Amino acid sequence: MSSRNASPERRPAARAEVEDAILRAAEAEFAEKGYDGATTAAIAARAGLPKANLHYYVATKEALYRRVIGGVLDAWLAEARSFDENGPAAEALTRYIEGKMDLARARPLGSRIFAREVMSGAPAVRDFLETTLAEWVKARGAVVEGWIASGQVRPLDPKVLFFTIWAVTQHYADFGAQIAALNGGAPLDDDAFAAAKRQVVETILRGIGPDRA
Amino acid sequence: MSSRNASPERRPAARAEVEDAILRAAEAEFAEKGYDGATTAAIAARAGLPKANLHYYVATKEALYRRVIGGVLDAWLAEARSFDENGPAAEALTRYIEGKMDLARARPLGSRIFAREVMSGAPAVRDFLETTLAEWVKARGAVVEGWIASGQVRPLDPKVLFFTIWAVTQHYADFGAQIAALNGGAPLDDDAFAAAKRQVVETILRGIGPDRA
DNA sequence: CGTCAGTTTTTCCGATCGGTCAAACGCCCC
DNA sequence: GGGGCGTTTGACCGATCGGAAAAACTGACG
């Protein structure tokens, strides 16, 4: 098919690299400044190309935003699969919470874009929330109900449990600046973050565990 | 002193009312759209006056924003005093968590403005974070250490406990749109919110309680 | 060497924003 | 009733933004 390249990995790769640089630049700008605060000129500059060139690869600022948001949602779903591997409640929840904490540390930008989006009334992700996420919550809520029935978890509303887990884990991404300010100005180092992760997991697991008589 | 009014409560009250309307309109706009997304025209329209009139009461958009942020921080500090009344750990923490949950429900706008501010790198609240809040955390951290020493709380990092409480309570303000989407499209009603509040308090209290042998 | 598709870049445009200005308005006191 | 002062308002301005347009450049291929 592609007969125009002697070295078949040069030009197509370059295009993919440029598009990837644009997406990463846009993610950073949208996370820091928000949709309105971000400018296409700043995104282009961060990606290393003139503003007009950006519009050759992506039609509008909104289309670029929707692509970035789509990537964020994909990453969310991919990571949420860690919930589904079998095992006892404590193992599954530990895996899930630790996965979300690690994601918050490794890629905090997506979480911030999502938070801004939801705080603005979720115009671009409402459909995701009402369909995909609602189904996810319903299905995994049934799993939690099973844990309650088998006595692994005390009786509670699974939805509130999910809210709790999301809130705490995303907090480490969204409020990184606050955490750093209370940590002497620097982000948590690896040891401090690992300790926080252990405490979060332990607190939630104890918090939802069954009564111990 | 003020010799220009026959009825001394008429005109000054009107001025205070206008300024209050401006502050409430600005709070709503900044919470929904963010600093860059909010426009002085929209704020003025929401407050019921022409844009030019807004600038008679407040010099610049940034000055208005700083006034709003100042009010948010004041409300935070006022509400945080509920932590300080004496009593056993469970009572103090229940009071504190329930107070923050109620505040998140009654006035979610301030929480969203604060969240956006921190996600943007906290340019307007960095000083608050590094001084006032840092001192608050240090002092109340010592209280938590006392609870640990007296066996009311298992050994843990007080800062991570505060992060957990803030994360969960503010989540109900910041992610109200997400919670509504997962609640059939409507915000939690009074009963559902009260149940969520109970579960949050119970989860955290069990989560940090001492080992029960 | 000329063509041509894909890409880059300079220039420019209309819309919108925060903020200014000066005229008009309302109201009180002499 | 006429100054005078605080307030209101429409008109306007410079800056900035998202985006369009078109010329210039590039490298592969006949």
Side-chain angles (χ1 to χ4, degrees):
Chain A
M1 292 295 191
S2 70
S3 59
R4 70 187 144 92
N5 272 322
S7 53
E9 284 307 315
R10 287 281 297 280
R11 285 299 96 197
R15 167 146 202 153
E17 277 170 27
V18 171
E19 292 194 339
D20 206 61
I22 290 174
L23 281 178
R24 276 183 291 119
E27 189 181 51
E29 287 292 319
F30 286 137
E32 263 182 49
K33 319 276 184 65
Y35 179 81
D36 292 293
T39 67
T40 56
I43 293 171
R46 195 190 275 252
L49 27 80
K51 185 185 72 164
N53 202 2
L54 184 78
H55 281 83
Y56 177 76
Y57 288 98
V58 49
T60 68
K61 182 186 180 184
E62 195 192 330
L64 177 56
Y65 178 72
R66 299 193 101 94
R67 257 206 250 177
V68 171
I69 274 273
V72 170
L73 300 184
D74 285 347
W76 193 98
L77 284 172
E79 185 273 330
R81 288 187 221 292
S82 70
F83 191 91
D84 291 338
E85 303 163 24
N86 288 343
E91 277 182 24
L93 285 172
T94 299
R95 222 174 22 234
Y96 184 56
I97 296 169
E98 290 190 342
K100 283 201 99 60
M101 289 284 286
D102 290 335
L103 187 66
R105 183 167 172 80
R107 291 185 70 241
L109 302 181
S111 179
R112 285 174 205 159
I113 294 172
F114 182 79
R116 290 193 131 103
E117 170 66 21
V118 172
M119 287 193 294
S120 297
V125 301
R126 174 162 300 152
D127 187 67
F128 170 83
L129 296 180
E130 292 176 350
T131 61
T132 310
L133 185 62
E135 290 161 17
W136 191 95
V137 166
K138 188 177 178 186
R140 277 68 183 181
V143 174
V144 175
E145 302 278 14
W147 292 338
I148 296 172
S150 66
Q152 298 184 81
V153 171
R154 70 179 172 91
L156 47 72
D157 183 345
K159 255 190 292 196
V160 175
L161 170 59
F162 291 137
F163 295 160
T164 302
I165 293 173
W166 297 342
V168 176
T169 53
Q170 289 177 358
H171 185 84
Y172 283 83
D174 301 342
F175 289 79
Q178 180 178 10
I179 292 173
L182 294 174
N183 190 45
L188 298 182
D189 60 36
D190 289 346
D191 287 346
F193 185 80
K197 186 164 66 174
R198 277 196 304 272
Q199 180 170 326
V200 166
V201 169
E202 184 74 8
T203 299
I204 293 180
L205 288 188
R206 286 169 173 252
I208 67 169
D211 288 321
R212 285 171 289 179
Chain B
M1 294 291 191
S2 70
S3 59
R4 67 187 147 92
N5 273 321
S7 54
E9 284 306 316
R10 287 280 299 281
R11 286 297 95 201
R15 167 146 200 152
E17 278 170 26
V18 171
E19 292 193 338
D20 207 60
I22 290 173
L23 281 177
R24 277 182 290 121
E27 189 181 50
E29 287 292 319
F30 285 138
E32 262 182 48
K33 319 277 184 64
Y35 179 82
D36 292 292
T39 66
T40 56
I43 293 171
R46 196 190 275 251
L49 25 81
K51 186 185 72 165
N53 202 2
L54 183 78
H55 280 86
Y56 175 77
Y57 288 98
V58 49
T60 67
K61 182 186 180 182
E62 193 191 332
L64 178 56
Y65 178 72
R66 299 193 101 93
R67 258 205 251 176
V68 171
I69 274 274
V72 170
L73 300 184
D74 285 346
W76 193 97
L77 284 172
E79 185 274 330
R81 287 187 223 291
S82 69
F83 191 90
D84 292 336
E85 303 162 24
N86 288 343
E91 276 182 26
L93 286 171
T94 299
R95 224 176 19 237
Y96 184 56
I97 295 169
E98 290 190 342
K100 282 200 102 59
M101 289 284 286
D102 290 334
L103 187 67
R105 182 167 173 79
R107 289 185 72 241
L109 302 182
S111 179
R112 286 175 203 160
I113 294 172
F114 182 80
R116 291 193 129 103
E117 170 65 22
V118 172
M119 287 193 294
S120 296
V125 300
R126 174 161 299 152
D127 188 66
F128 169 84
L129 296 180
E130 291 176 350
T131 60
T132 311
L133 184 61
E135 290 162 17
W136 192 95
V137 165
K138 188 177 179 188
R140 276 67 182 184
V143 174
V144 174
E145 302 277 14
W147 291 338
I148 295 172
S150 66
Q152 299 184 80
V153 170
R154 70 181 174 91
L156 47 73
D157 183 344
K159 257 191 289 195
V160 175
L161 170 60
F162 291 138
F163 295 161
T164 301
I165 293 173
W166 297 343
V168 176
T169 55
Q170 290 177 358
H171 185 83
Y172 283 83
D174 301 342
F175 289 79
Q178 180 178 10
I179 292 172
L182 295 174
N183 190 45
L188 298 182
D189 60 34
D190 288 346
D191 287 347
F193 185 80
K197 186 165 65 174
R198 277 195 304 271
Q199 179 169 326
V200 166
V201 169
E202 183 75 9
T203 299
I204 293 179
L205 288 188
R206 285 170 174 252
I208 67 170
D211 288 320
R212 283 173 291 182

